[in-house]
Amino acid sequence: MVESKIRDPNLHKEGNKKIRWAGSHMPVLQQIREDFEKIQPLKGVRIGACLHVTSETANLMITLKAAGAEVYLAASNPLSTKDDVAASLVVDYGIPVFATHGEDRDSYYDNLERVLAHQPQITLDDGGDLTALAHKEHRTETILGGTEETTTGVIRFRAMERDGVLAYPIIAVNDSKTKYLFDNRYGTGQSTIDGILRATNRLIAGSVFVVSGYGWCGRGIAMRARGMGARVIITEVDPIRALEAVMDGFEVMPIREAARRGDFFVTATGDIHVIDRETLEVMKDGAVLCNAGHFNVEINLEALQNLAEEVERIRPNVEAYRLKDGRTLYLLGEGRLINLVAAEGHPPDVMDLSFANQALAALYIWEHHQELEKKVYTLPPEIDERIARLKLQTLGIEFDELTEEQKHYLSSWEEGT
Ligand code: ADE
């Protein structure tokens, strides 16, 4: 068996069924895998990954191995790791994995160290922890480039670029259109609602549902909550986004007002203490709080703890905070990203697009690293379009092309009629 640090290799059979099920709904990645198998474009390239250890991620790892790469995987969140999937990757596919569900902070970082010990040439990150650790420990010398999956990580790396400390180029996979318009919107939209339902078994219809942040994730969550009959309120700090939310038909108001009205609160901003002490102090008795952003910083958990006289876990992902003033607030999934903690993350059909981007970004780095500077890049639009075309093809959907006459019209400026 390959090197690993996992819960139990005997779980591999269940994990393998999940990996195959997910893979059968990831046709674009499947196509890329078949192409990779033929030409082995990443032969011998060492790739270190820090991603959610799910059946969808497993399919990305298998695809990169099919391209000839040596891949090493650690988790990007202790609570999203599926131990059976990790076991199958190790036992059935010979891919080293360092991840166990529910591990503590020390074990989490030890796993990232184990990935770095293999001196990766390419890093794949979700949230930026692996890349940040490589930088902190000055272990970037072998790394030619990296990718980043999520908004939070891209924000971190742009800050590193601005401060002149980024040691290698990063492809912001998150910023491909075939990523954020689909994964962030439809993936987070569906899986966040899925997480809330699995955690609480509560009715969404008729509830007041507060979404903080109207980026692509917030939009998806708001759209799906409305679709289930909730009365949705948006809180925002960006005037353009707030205006968009108004014109999309949502109520927009400051969090301090929304706090008094909400039955459910979901944060999706990527920023700290969006739900702070003053907000917690005026929430209705029985309000449900959760977070869909990458890190568990959006709800001020310390303030919540300080307001409480007792905390009781009443369902696997629900903690009742009984406050000194007699109210009870319910926190889901410890304030960690609810879609991966209480549900299974985004469905494979949409991770197909995100991980097609990851696979092609790894190849892009390998083929272009000599031309890339220590900056944050997006993938070229041709790759984005290729992925969209492939997805449409697998969905059996045909669409139109410009005629020569239309192309000419769009590229000329002399006459308007
Ligand atoms: N991020 C969101 N959903 C995911 C999934 N299913 N697998 C890996 N990363 C994810």
Side-chain angles (χ1 to χ4, degrees):
M1 207 169 75
V2 291
E3 181 195 355
S4 67
K5 194 177 122 197
I6 56 173
R7 172 87 55 209
D8 180 1
N10 295 318
L11 299 172
H12 74 103
K13 281 202 179 120
E14 276 311 298
N16 200 11
K17 285 182 204 159
K18 290 184 184 167
I19 294 171
R20 286 166 177 273
W21 167 256
S24 68
H25 296 95
M26 302 178 84
V28 177
L29 194 63
Q30 188 70 43
Q31 178 67 56
I32 292 171
R33 190 183 302 171
E34 282 165 24
D35 295 346
F36 277 2
E37 258 159 7
K38 284 182 213 134
I39 50 173
Q40 302 262 299
L42 293 170
K43 195 158 184 57
V45 180
R46 296 184 303 280
I47 299 183
C50 169
L51 300 168
H52 297 290
V53 180
T54 64
S55 49
E56 292 76 24
T57 298
N59 277 282
L60 172 62
M61 296 296 107
I62 294 164
T63 301
L64 293 169
K65 191 171 179 198
E70 271 178 37
V71 287
Y72 303 90
L73 174 64
S76 60
N77 186 307
L79 294 186
S80 61
T81 296
K82 303 282 180 263
D83 289 321
D84 51 3
V85 168
S88 178
L89 276 176
V90 171
V91 175
D92 302 317
Y93 298 94
I95 293 176
V97 180
F98 314 105
T100 45
H101 182 91
E103 65 198 336
D104 63 15
R105 192 183 158 79
D106 287 349
S107 170
Y108 176 83
Y109 275 100
D110 174 59
N111 292 336
L112 300 188
E113 296 282 1
R114 287 173 192 242
V115 168
L116 290 180
H118 288 278
Q119 303 193 313
Q121 292 158 294
I122 296 175
T123 55
L124 313 184
D125 225 336
D126 186 333
D129 284 346
L130 181 66
T131 311
L133 187 68
H135 279 75
K136 269 189 218 137
E137 296 189 346
H138 307 289
R139 293 166 77 179
T140 55
E141 60 287 350
T142 58
I143 306 175
L144 306 170
T147 70
E148 172 51 48
E149 170 76 8
T150 200
T151 317
T152 296
V154 172
I155 291 170
R156 266 174 118 175
F157 297 146
R158 289 204 196 282
M160 289 169 77
E161 179 188 334
R162 181 201 61 213
D163 292 348
V165 295
L166 194 61
Y168 55 84
I170 296 287
I171 305 285
V173 162
N174 181 70
D175 295 356
S176 291
K177 287 184 182 162
T178 48
K179 201 283 185 178
Y180 69 84
L181 290 175
F182 301 93
D183 169 312
N184 300 26
R185 182 166 36 174
Y186 305 110
T188 308
Q190 177 169 315
S191 61
T192 298
I193 301 288
D194 186 12
I196 294 170
L197 295 180
R198 291 197 207 192
T200 65
N201 192 29
R202 293 277 313 278
L203 186 71
I204 305 284
S207 67
V208 176
F209 197 103
V210 180
V211 180
S212 291
Y214 203 61
W216 291 105
C217 294
R219 278 161 220 243
I221 298 165
M223 174 170 66
R224 293 302 179 233
R226 174 155 70 185
M228 294 189 76
R231 290 171 287 158
V232 180
I233 296 173
I234 304 295
T235 75
E236 244 306 336
V237 292
D238 177 318
I240 312 276
R241 287 181 172 179
L243 186 57
E244 282 184 279
V246 169
M247 298 228 177
D248 284 344
F250 295 109
E251 271 200 86
V252 175
M253 64 183 70
I255 185 84
R256 65 173 185 279
E257 273 178 49
R260 298 175 190 280
R261 298 191 25 198
D263 299 304
F264 292 92
F265 291 83
V266 185
T267 52
T269 69
D271 212 340
I272 193 167
H273 296 172
V274 177
I275 293 185
D276 216 342
R277 187 180 170 108
E278 307 82 74
T279 323
L280 295 166
E281 275 173 344
V282 296
M283 280 181 176
K284 287 195 302 197
D285 182 32
V288 173
L289 281 60
C290 67
N291 166 50
H294 186 81
F295 288 118
N296 60 341
V297 297
E298 305 206 17
I299 301 169
N300 186 340
L301 298 175
E302 200 183 317
L304 184 58
Q305 186 72 50
N306 290 339
L307 288 170
E309 58 184 11
E310 189 199 346
V311 182
E312 187 191 358
R313 188 174 287 273
I314 55 167
R315 290 168 63 88
N317 279 304
V318 185
E319 284 173 301
Y321 280 74
R322 304 197 200 288
L323 308 192
K324 293 169 194 154
D325 62 14
R327 289 173 304 137
T328 302
L329 300 179
Y330 297 100
L331 178 70
L332 308 188
E334 300 174 14
R336 294 181 190 269
L337 70 187
I338 189 64
N339 60 337
L340 279 140
V341 171
E344 295 174 64
H346 304 350
D349 320 63
V350 80
M351 291 313 293
D352 192 24
L353 294 168
S354 314
F355 285 165
N357 273 284
Q358 284 282 5
L360 296 181
L363 180 60
Y364 188 82
I365 291 168
W366 183 242
E367 288 179 342
H368 295 272
H369 62 90
Q370 270 145 346
E371 303 133 45
L372 298 176
E373 295 175 51
K374 294 169 182 174
K375 288 184 176 169
V376 178
Y377 292 88
T378 44
L379 276 177
E382 304 78 64
I383 296 186
D384 224 357
E385 280 186 23
R386 182 177 148 208
I387 293 171
R389 281 178 195 283
L390 271 172
K391 188 70 173 177
L392 284 162
Q393 224 174 53
T394 65
L395 293 169
I397 292 170
E398 293 182 40
F399 65 111
D400 288 330
E401 260 180 61
L402 292 174
T403 62
E404 285 309 312
E405 184 190 23
Q406 287 172 327
K407 279 189 208 159
H408 178 73
Y409 181 80
L410 290 177
S411 61
S412 58
W413 52 269
E414 293 96 338
E415 278 182 46
T417 53

